[in-house]
């Protein structure tokens, strides 16, 4: 009877991980590769990088939306400064909000895209400038982002 416990536990753990929307993939922008957590559903997009005290230089979070639209992010409960990079449906960089500080007052400022976006990449503040990212750069996503809700 114990034979079924391990496979059942692994299946439940995999389902629980998928439900969070935080599976990982890699992206490449302007020649730099980042390991990214994926935010592909509303709960994971709302939580984003909240409560993180650090973000490695080669890590980030990729927010994937079902459709392109004007996007706006804020930094509520985000403890680290970020670069917020907005990409259209063709994964072309259309807008950047750089060195966005943590929110220190309520209400928190809003950081909008300047064009419709379907993908948003958050990386450590200063990363975009350091690697020379420019509007028009193409984001390469390695692998599949899975279902987007």
């Amino acid at each position: 009877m114990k034979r079924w416990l391990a496979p059942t536990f692994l299946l439940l753990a995999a389902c629980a991980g998928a439900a969070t929307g935080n599976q990982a993939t890699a992206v490449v922008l302007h020649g730099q590769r980042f390991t990214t957590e994926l935010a592909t559903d509303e709960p994971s997009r709302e939580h984003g990088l909240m409560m993180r005290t650090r973000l490695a230089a080669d890590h980030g979070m990729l927010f994937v939306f079902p459709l392109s639209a004007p996007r706006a992010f804020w930094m509520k409960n985000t403890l680290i400064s970020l670069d917020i990079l907005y990409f259209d449906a063709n994964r072309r960089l259309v807008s950047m909000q750089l060195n966005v500080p943590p929110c220190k007052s309520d209400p928190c400022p809003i950081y909008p895209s300047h064009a419709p976006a379907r993908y948003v990449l958050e990386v450590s503040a200063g990363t975009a400038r350091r690697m020379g990212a420019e509007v028009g750069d193409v984001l390469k996503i390695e692998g599949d982002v899975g279902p987007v809700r």
Side-chain angles (χ1 to χ4, degrees):
M1 185 180 281
K2 291 181 182 179
R3 285 184 164 160
W4 63 270
L5 283 177
T8 301
F9 177 74
L10 290 174
L11 179 62
L12 289 173
C15 290
T20 66
N22 284 334
Q23 59 273 38
T25 194
V27 301
V28 178
L29 178 64
H30 208 73
Q32 183 164 340
R33 186 173 192 271
F34 297 91
T35 300
T36 59
E37 293 177 48
L38 292 173
T40 59
D41 59 21
E42 203 55 39
S44 63
R45 287 191 295 261
E46 286 177 9
H47 192 267
L49 291 171
M50 287 182 181
M51 310 314 285
R52 307 285 178 96
T53 56
R54 63 182 287 287
L55 183 63
D58 62 345
H59 283 71
M61 181 168 275
L62 181 64
F63 297 78
V64 184
F65 295 88
L67 301 169
S68 291
R71 302 287 171 203
F73 278 55
W74 67 342
M75 299 290 284
K76 186 157 183 97
N77 298 322
T78 304
L79 307 175
I80 54 177
S81 297
L82 298 171
D83 288 345
I84 305 172
L85 310 175
Y86 299 91
F87 299 85
D88 66 14
N90 296 317
R91 296 182 300 236
R92 289 211 177 272
L93 184 58
V94 295
S95 184
M96 297 186 280
Q97 294 283 354
L98 303 179
N99 297 309
V100 176
C103 177
K104 300 282 188 194
S105 62
D106 204 10
C108 294
I110 303 294
Y111 300 93
S113 62
H114 300 299
R118 179 157 184 230
Y119 304 91
V120 178
L121 178 63
E122 289 184 341
V123 293
S124 296
T127 300
R129 185 167 287 132
R130 185 177 63 253
M131 69 180 175
E134 298 177 347
V135 169
D137 285 348
V138 175
L139 181 70
K140 179 182 177 195
I141 300 173
E142 297 179 352
D144 184 18
V145 297
V148 178
R149 303 174 294 241

